[in-house]
Amino acid sequence: MTTERHEPANTADERTMLEGWLAYHRQTLAWKCEGLSDAQLRTASVEPSELSLMGLVRHMAEVERGWFRKVLADDDAGPIYYSEADPDGEFHLTEADTWQEAYATWQAEIEIARRNAARFGLDDISEGRHRRTGERYNLRWIYTHMIEEYARHNGHADLIRERLDGATGD
């Protein structure tokens, strides 16, 4: 699999630009994971951190679910990897955890996110509330937050990938 990344047009309307940058950052995380074995994808950055590329992908599946299902659409599908007993479960990997499962789950959450977002205008207020703050958000805020979330974690992915095999890139 070869991930193609496409920067959004520099003259796009606001929604197209927000969706384009979010897609670009999603593609960037997939690209950072390409060509690595499951063992490499499970390898933590540096001790004592448990941060790994597979953990980041699983985390972003949870984040996609949280913002686009729970908050935006008020669909409480429940967590994928974490629990009350293990609030960072997406980062606690075992030999049984595979890239195939993590990637498929992440992509499924992205597809649901796209479908849910398509039902809302940028100024529309979410149907659900944030689980900790109880606040509602408009879609514009959610898109902006998701771009920030991916951009931050793609920086982590850059460093992890470089540590694994020396690969660097934007």
Side-chain angles (χ1 to χ4, degrees):
M1 169 182 76
T2 301
T3 301
E4 292 188 31
R5 297 182 311 151
H6 306 282
E7 287 190 23
N10 56 356
T11 58
D13 64 86
E14 182 182 13
R15 185 175 187 130
T16 302
M17 193 164 294
L18 289 169
E19 289 174 348
W21 278 110
L22 181 53
Y24 178 83
H25 282 291
R26 288 167 171 158
Q27 293 159 357
T28 298
L29 183 55
W31 177 55
K32 290 295 174 184
C33 296
E34 275 185 5
L36 298 174
S37 68
D38 282 5
Q40 287 173 306
L41 290 163
R42 286 189 298 263
T43 300
S45 55
V46 292
E47 293 200 12
S49 176
E50 295 180 282
L51 190 64
S52 67
L53 289 170
M54 191 181 301
L56 282 174
V57 166
R58 288 166 40 130
H59 174 68
M60 292 313 299
E62 292 280 14
V63 172
E64 294 274 358
R65 180 177 277 219
W67 284 104
F68 288 105
R69 287 176 83 161
K70 293 179 182 178
V71 175
L72 186 63
D74 199 24
D75 170 13
D76 190 6
I80 306 167
Y81 301 108
Y82 74 87
S83 65
E84 282 189 34
D86 188 5
D88 294 320
E90 65 265 40
F91 296 110
H92 300 151
L93 303 170
T94 70
E95 295 291 317
D97 294 311
T98 67
W99 172 247
Q100 183 178 2
E101 182 281 325
Y103 182 81
T105 299
W106 178 44
Q107 292 305 301
E109 290 302 323
I110 289 171
E111 185 53 38
I112 293 167
R114 287 184 179 125
R115 282 197 315 263
N116 284 346
R119 299 181 317 148
F120 289 80
L122 290 177
D123 292 322
D124 291 347
I125 303 300
S126 62
E127 294 172 356
R129 296 176 182 272
H130 190 274
R131 66 183 171 96
R132 287 189 302 260
T133 67
E135 292 183 80
R136 290 194 162 136
Y137 299 83
N138 67 22
L139 179 58
R140 179 181 289 104
W141 192 98
I142 293 171
Y143 274 150
T144 304
H145 173 70
M146 290 298 293
I147 292 165
E148 177 272 332
E149 182 89 8
Y150 271 102
R152 182 166 33 96
H153 289 314
N154 282 338
H156 298 137
D158 282 338
L159 296 172
I160 296 169
R161 180 65 190 247
E162 185 176 11
R163 178 183 179 272
L164 290 171
D165 69 356
T168 59
D170 61 350

